[in-house]
């Protein structure tokens, strides 16, 4: 069986500045991959390019998703095909209630899958359990999208959306940033609940912290636009201990390359 | 061409002067005569006039507009415009003439006079004289209105009376090349409370000219809510002046929603004639295609302890052009004035344009005044966020446009009117109906 996601030699630039310089990554259904790396290494760029952000320019390589050319799809088509990006900075949208966006998102995916759209009652029934899982107050459903949400509430809201959309490939971009330990546990618990043999996850993070709760199958280190090291969950612990500095030394990096 | 059109208005005036409301009352006749003379002398404004720099009213001169006469054949169904869920005192004007058969004034509390201005001018117009003579802040179009004013709402509320139900004045234009000059006179006595909704709609793509003037007097501690909803058809020209005079500690809340007309211009002013006045001016305009929409506002803090809050938002698409000019003038001695003025604009196309100019003139030293203006496009981050949730691009754009306009709409306190505005907005947005279904 072919991989769910196959990134081959992906190069990406923004304003003629190269950000990703030949990334290779294979993700199978059921796997959780952590992408770690120092600031500016291209982690968030990779996450956003996979979700279809158009401000980045793909200059080389290709991405197959379920055997299809992912880069040929618009962001909304990717979402409907089961790609989900949990944003590092969820956007505030005044005047559009959270429940409204959630319903629009769920129904656009359902339409695409040939399922009947949910009416208001069915939708609320679906959302009840998930909102409990994320330890969120009902009131946040009726507020404008992310408006006046705390940092933790915004991140919980992202995972709530993921729980409702049931993606095949979830990309979590620095979901742990700005969370206190309680919120981190709630968010991690939400993520773990969604782990399944059919679903793959890419967890982009700067710190080991989240990986104490969401234990990855694979850890990759991104540095200067390339994956310079891959390993198991122990690699994250080593990075926590040693920092990222040693990876920048070309002789070490070559020595440890797989 | 401009000169010919001036002549045409004068000839038209001479032809109809004897039949206009109040023609037998000498002071009204001379008021009208003076006004047409002033108009003839001044002529139509040109883009050389600072106040008309961005708005060319040549289309007013281009068509053979003539005073709209009562149209006995007009078949008008006002059903779609009746406000749902609220029993308003409804007055309908067809081409500027009161249509009692379509109106439903209903029962009025003691101390409230409400009816047709034409009837008041022909009946006992003495009480109207000070107001009709007060031409402060009037433009030259207001002079043209004074010459021709045919009809409109006359509302007077005695001191201490609260008119709980809103007054809904519906102006329908049906005839091409018809010049319609509505005049509304509103007097809220001391501590009186009231809500007036002025709605302008056009039928059958009639290329009409509406030139309306509304004057509002808010007595001491009175509370006046004024809603203006301009939904003329796409060939119509719409010119309007709304002028309020506020007595001590009165409150004036104004909401202007402009959606229609190929060319529209509104001058809205309020003057704090005594201490402690409060004014809230909200505005939303939406224009596309070749529409041109111009809002000029002016708030005169002429006395101390006044507070004003102004928020105008514009959404411009296609080749539309918007103009906003908001003046706040704090007069000498008007200490402790507190003014805030904001103009925010959203351009949805490369060819849409907005000229926005907030202006503060401050001649007192103990004041708190702030203003700001922004012009921008839809936020790329927000668009990507919605699309990454499976919302297609046209709908994401419509949602964010709605989100932009939302806070002005939210301030509309008459629920059924808020619905009307939302519906009108959704109709104008691609995918708007789908957004509504989701709500």
């Amino acid at each position: 069986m072919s991989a769910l996601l196959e990134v081959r030699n992906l190069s990406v630039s923004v304003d003629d500045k190269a950000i990703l310089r030949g990334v290779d990554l294979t993700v199978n259904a059921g796997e959780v991959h952590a992408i770690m790396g120092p600031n500016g290494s291209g982690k968030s760029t990779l996450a956003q390019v996979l979700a279809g952000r158009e401000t980045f320019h793909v200059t080389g390589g290709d991405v197959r998703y379920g055997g299809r050319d992912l880069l040929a799809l618009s962001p909304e088509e990717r979402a409907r095909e089961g790609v989900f990006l949990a944003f590092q900075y969820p956007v505030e949208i005044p005047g559009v209630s959270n429940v409204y966006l959630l319903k629009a998102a769920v129904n656009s995916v359902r339409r695409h899958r040939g399922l009947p759209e949910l009416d208001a009652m069915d939708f609320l029934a679906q959302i009840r359990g998930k909102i409990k899982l994320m330890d969120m107050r009902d009131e946040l459903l009726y507020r404008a999208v992310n408006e006046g949400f705390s940092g933790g509430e915004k991140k919980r809201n992202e995972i709530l959306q993921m729980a409702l959309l049931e993606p095949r490939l979830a990309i979590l971009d620095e979901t742990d940033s700005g969370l206190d330990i309680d919120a981190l546990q709630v968010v991690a618990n939400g993520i773990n609940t969604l782990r399944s043999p059919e679903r793959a996850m890419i967890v982009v993070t700067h710190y080991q912290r989240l990986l104490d709760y969401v234990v990855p199958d694979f850890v990759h280190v991104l540095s200067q636009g390339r994956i310079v090291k891959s390993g198991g969950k122990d690699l994250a612990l080593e990075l926590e201990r040693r920092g990222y500095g040693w990876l920048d030394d070309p002789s070490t990096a070559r020595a440890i390359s797989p | 061409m401009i000169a010919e059109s001036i002549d045409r208005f004068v000839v038209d005036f001479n032809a109809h002067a004897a039949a206009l409301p109040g023609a037998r009352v000498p002071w009204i006749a001379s008021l009208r005569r003076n006004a047409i003379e002033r108009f003839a002398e001044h002529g139509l404004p040109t883009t050389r006039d600072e106040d008309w720099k961005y708005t060319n009213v040549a289309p007013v001169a281009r068509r053979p507009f003539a005073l709209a006469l009562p149209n006995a054949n007009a078949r008008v169904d006002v059903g779609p415009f009746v406000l749902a869920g609220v029993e308003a005192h409804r007055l309908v004007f067809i081409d500027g003439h009161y249509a009692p058969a379509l109106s439903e004034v209903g029962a009025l509390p003691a101390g409230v006079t409400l009816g047709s201005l034409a009837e008041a001018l022909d009946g006992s117009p003495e009480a109207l004289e000070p107001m009709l003579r007060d031409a402060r802040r009037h433009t030259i179009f207001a002079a043209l209105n004074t010459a021709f004013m045919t009809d409109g709402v006359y509302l007077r509320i005695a001191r201490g009376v609260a008119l709980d139900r809103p007054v809904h004045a519906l102006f329908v234009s049906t005839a091409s090349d018809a010049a319609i000059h509505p005049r509304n006179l509103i007097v809220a006595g001391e501590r009186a409370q009231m809500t007036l909704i002025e709605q302008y709609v056009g039928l059958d793509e009639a290329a009409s000219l509406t030139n309306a003037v509304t004057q509002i007097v808010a007595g001491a501690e009175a509370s006046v809510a004024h809603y203006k909803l301009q939904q003329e058809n796409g060939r119509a020209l719409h010119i309007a002046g709304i002028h309020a005079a506020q007595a001590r500690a009165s409150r004036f809340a104004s909401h202007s929603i402009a959606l229609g007309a190929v060319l529209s211009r509104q001058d809205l002013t309020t003057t704090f004639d005594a201490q402690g006045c409060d004014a809230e001016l909200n505005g939303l305009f939406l224009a596309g295609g070749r529409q041109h929409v111009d809002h000029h506002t002016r708030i005169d803090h002429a006395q101390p302890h006044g507070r004003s809050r102004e928020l105008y938002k514009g959404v411009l698409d296609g080749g539309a052009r918007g103009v906003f000019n908001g003046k706040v003038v704090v007069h000498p001695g008007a200490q402790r004035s507190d003014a805030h003025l904001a103009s925010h604009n959203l351009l949805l196309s490369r060819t849409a344009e907005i000229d926005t100019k907030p202006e503060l003139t401050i001649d007192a030293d103990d004041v708190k005044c702030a203003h700001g203006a922004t012009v921008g496009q839809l936020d790329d981050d927000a668009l990507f966020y919605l699309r990454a949730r499976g919302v297609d691009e046209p709908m994401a754009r419509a949602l964010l446009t709605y989100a932009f306009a939302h806070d002005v709409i939210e301030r509309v306190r008459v629920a059924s009117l808020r619905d009307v505005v939302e519906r009108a907005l959704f109709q104008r947005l691609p995918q708007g109906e789908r957004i509504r279904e989701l709500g």
Side-chain angles (χ1 to χ4, degrees):
Chain A
M1 201 188 95
S2 68
L4 177 63
L5 182 75
E6 194 130 21
V7 179
R8 280 188 298 229
N9 198 26
L10 182 66
S11 295
V12 169
S13 65
V14 62
D15 299 332
D16 291 333
K17 190 171 173 279
I19 310 284
L20 298 181
R21 309 151 186 260
V23 170
D24 291 295
L25 179 68
T26 301
V27 178
N28 293 301
E31 296 174 352
V32 173
H33 289 244
I35 309 253
M36 303 186 70
N39 288 330
S41 59
K43 300 188 302 284
S44 278
T45 300
L46 178 61
Q48 295 201 40
V49 166
L50 292 178
R53 184 81 202 228
E54 285 154 344
T55 43
F56 298 107
H57 184 53
V58 175
T59 53
D62 68 332
V63 181
R64 314 295 296 178
Y65 170 73
R68 292 178 65 185
D69 179 5
L70 183 70
L71 300 178
L73 303 179
S74 67
E76 53 268 39
E77 286 167 332
R78 296 181 201 197
R80 292 170 198 162
E81 288 288 340
V83 176
F84 179 87
L85 172 66
F87 280 61
Q88 181 178 7
Y89 303 109
V91 177
E92 299 187 6
I93 306 176
V96 177
S97 75
N98 205 20
V99 66
Y100 185 110
L101 171 62
L102 292 169
K103 198 164 135 216
V106 167
N107 279 335
S108 78
V109 171
R110 289 182 66 92
R111 260 200 311 278
H112 184 72
R113 292 179 186 165
L115 298 169
E117 295 188 22
L118 295 180
D119 65 21
M121 296 301 284
D122 292 341
F123 180 72
L124 281 176
Q126 272 226 355
I127 211 169
R128 287 274 170 243
K130 318 248 170 182
I131 197 164
K132 232 176 233 116
L133 170 72
M134 294 315 298
D135 195 19
M136 286 169 74
R137 288 168 289 136
D138 275 13
E139 174 247 342
L140 291 179
L141 286 178
Y142 301 99
R143 291 242 299 268
V145 177
N146 292 322
E147 198 183 45
F149 285 30
S150 70
E153 285 169 339
K154 283 183 182 170
K155 296 298 174 77
R156 286 180 210 202
N157 201 31
E158 292 294 288
I159 306 303
L160 173 70
Q161 293 177 17
M162 175 166 112
L164 280 165
L165 292 174
E166 302 178 335
R168 290 171 68 200
L169 174 66
I171 305 159
L172 310 172
D173 188 6
E174 308 252 0
T175 297
D176 50 337
S177 69
L179 294 185
D180 62 28
I181 191 69
D182 292 339
L184 183 72
Q185 282 177 359
V186 170
V187 164
N189 181 41
I191 296 169
N192 283 330
T193 308
L194 292 165
R195 287 181 82 151
S196 89
E198 296 81 40
R199 181 170 297 134
M201 294 189 186
I202 297 175
V203 180
V204 172
T205 182
H206 187 82
Y207 301 106
Q208 151 70 21
R209 205 166 70 126
L210 177 65
L211 306 180
D212 287 341
Y213 302 95
V214 179
V215 180
D217 302 302
F218 300 94
V219 175
H220 310 275
V221 182
L222 196 63
S223 178
Q224 296 180 11
R226 287 191 187 92
I227 289 183
V228 295
K229 190 164 170 56
S230 297
K233 61 179 192 294
D234 295 342
L235 177 55
L237 296 167
E238 187 176 0
L239 289 166
E240 180 75 358
R241 216 169 47 242
R242 298 180 65 184
Y244 290 108
W246 57 284
L247 291 164
D248 289 338
D249 178 351
S251 59
T252 340
R254 200 178 305 114
I256 51 104
S257 280
Chain B
M1 188 173 69
I2 299 271
E4 279 169 31
S5 86
I6 304 291
D7 289 346
R8 199 159 52 227
F9 281 112
V10 174
V11 168
D12 200 30
F13 175 79
N14 288 331
H16 293 106
L20 289 168
R24 282 180 306 277
V25 182
W27 69 263
I28 295 176
S30 81
L31 190 73
R32 289 185 185 276
R33 173 76 46 200
N34 290 341
I36 195 71
E37 281 169 7
R38 200 161 82 78
F39 175 77
E41 194 181 319
H42 184 287
L44 287 169
T46 72
T47 51
R48 285 187 301 278
D49 295 301
E50 185 59 29
D51 278 348
W52 298 83
K53 195 169 157 188
Y54 299 110
T55 296
N56 185 347
V57 294
V60 173
R62 224 170 275 144
R63 296 190 72 99
F65 289 112
L67 180 66
L69 301 174
N71 181 357
N73 299 319
R75 292 275 174 273
V76 177
D77 174 17
V78 296
F81 305 109
V82 172
L83 294 173
V86 55
E87 281 184 52
H89 305 284
R90 187 175 71 244
L91 290 88
V92 179
F93 299 84
I94 305 298
D95 296 324
H97 298 275
Y98 184 50
L102 300 173
S103 303
E104 202 171 326
V105 175
L108 295 164
V112 175
T113 307
L114 172 62
S116 136
L117 179 72
E119 285 167 21
L121 290 174
D122 281 326
S124 46
E126 300 73 26
L128 308 177
E129 188 171 355
M131 224 171 164
L132 286 173
R133 285 196 186 283
D134 181 1
R136 285 188 301 174
R137 312 276 169 245
H138 284 194
T139 65
I140 196 64
F141 281 102
L144 188 64
N145 175 285
T146 297
F148 281 104
M149 57 185 175
T150 48
D151 211 340
V153 173
Y154 173 48
L155 172 60
R156 183 179 287 274
I157 304 182
R159 58 186 292 183
V161 174
L163 184 57
D164 294 327
R165 288 154 54 187
V167 174
H168 181 197
L170 177 65
F171 296 87
V172 186
S173 37
T174 69
S176 269
D177 298 329
I180 302 162
H181 300 276
R183 183 75 165 241
N184 304 304
L185 299 184
I186 313 299
V187 185
E190 229 177 283
R191 284 180 284 109
Q193 292 179 27
M194 53 151 290
T195 297
L196 169 67
I197 299 162
E198 269 183 68
Q199 185 179 13
Y200 293 81
V201 299
L203 298 184
D204 308 330
E205 295 297 299
S208 55
L209 165 68
T210 292
N211 173 38
V213 172
T214 298
Q215 285 171 276
I216 296 165
V217 171
E221 295 175 48
S223 176
V224 174
H226 179 257
Y227 295 91
K228 161 81 182 273
L229 182 53
Q230 189 267 97
Q231 297 170 285
E232 303 261 22
N233 72 56
R235 294 176 69 205
L237 311 181
H238 184 94
I239 312 263
I242 298 167
H243 304 287
Q246 295 188 239
R248 183 181 50 76
S250 61
R251 228 188 105 67
F252 174 52
S254 152
H255 308 258
S256 280
I257 316 282
L259 304 169
V262 63
L263 170 66
S264 67
R265 160 73 178 237
Q266 179 166 290
D267 287 79
L268 190 152
T269 70
T270 188
T271 307
F272 296 172
D273 287 325
Q275 296 206 6
C277 293
D278 186 289
E280 181 194 326
L281 271 52
N282 299 305
L284 173 66
F285 50 95
L286 198 68
R290 304 294 305 162
Q291 280 182 289
H292 180 108
V293 52
D294 178 348
H295 285 277
H296 270 58
T297 68
R298 176 171 170 145
I299 302 170
D300 278 271
H301 284 253
Q303 296 293 329
H305 295 283
R307 177 183 179 277
S308 63
R309 289 290 178 269
E310 178 165 358
L311 173 65
Y312 266 69
K313 287 195 164 184
V315 179
L316 300 155
D317 202 354
R321 179 99 187 253
V323 180
F324 174 78
N325 182 291
K327 275 198 184 84
V328 174
V329 182
V330 179
H331 293 241
Q335 303 296 5
R336 296 295 173 101
S337 289
D338 175 359
H340 190 276
L341 162 62
S343 155
H344 298 302
N345 303 280
L346 180 61
L347 301 181
L348 295 176
S349 77
R350 285 175 193 281
T351 43
E353 264 185 73
I354 176 80
D355 291 287
T356 175
K357 189 175 172 198
E359 281 182 76
L360 297 183
T361 306
I362 301 169
D363 285 317
D365 50 18
D366 183 11
V367 301
K368 202 165 86 184
C369 295
H371 68 88
T374 61
V375 178
Q377 281 123 35
L378 290 178
D379 179 35
D380 276 339
D381 290 335
L383 266 177
F384 178 57
Y385 187 69
L386 291 173
R387 295 178 69 192
R389 295 295 172 259
V391 178
D392 59 48
E393 190 179 357
M395 186 155 164
R397 288 184 174 279
L399 260 178
L400 292 175
T401 305
Y402 168 74
F404 173 82
H406 171 260
D407 57 347
V408 176
I409 297 172
E410 198 180 47
R411 293 171 190 209
V412 173
R413 283 182 270 277
V414 182
S416 53
L417 184 64
R418 196 165 54 234
D419 273 359
V420 169
V421 174
E422 282 201 334
R423 222 181 308 139
L425 177 65
F426 287 134
Q427 264 171 17
R428 293 288 300 274
L429 299 174
Q431 311 286 320
E433 284 309 307
R434 273 174 59 203
I435 299 184
R436 199 173 162 75
E437 286 164 19
L438 277 167

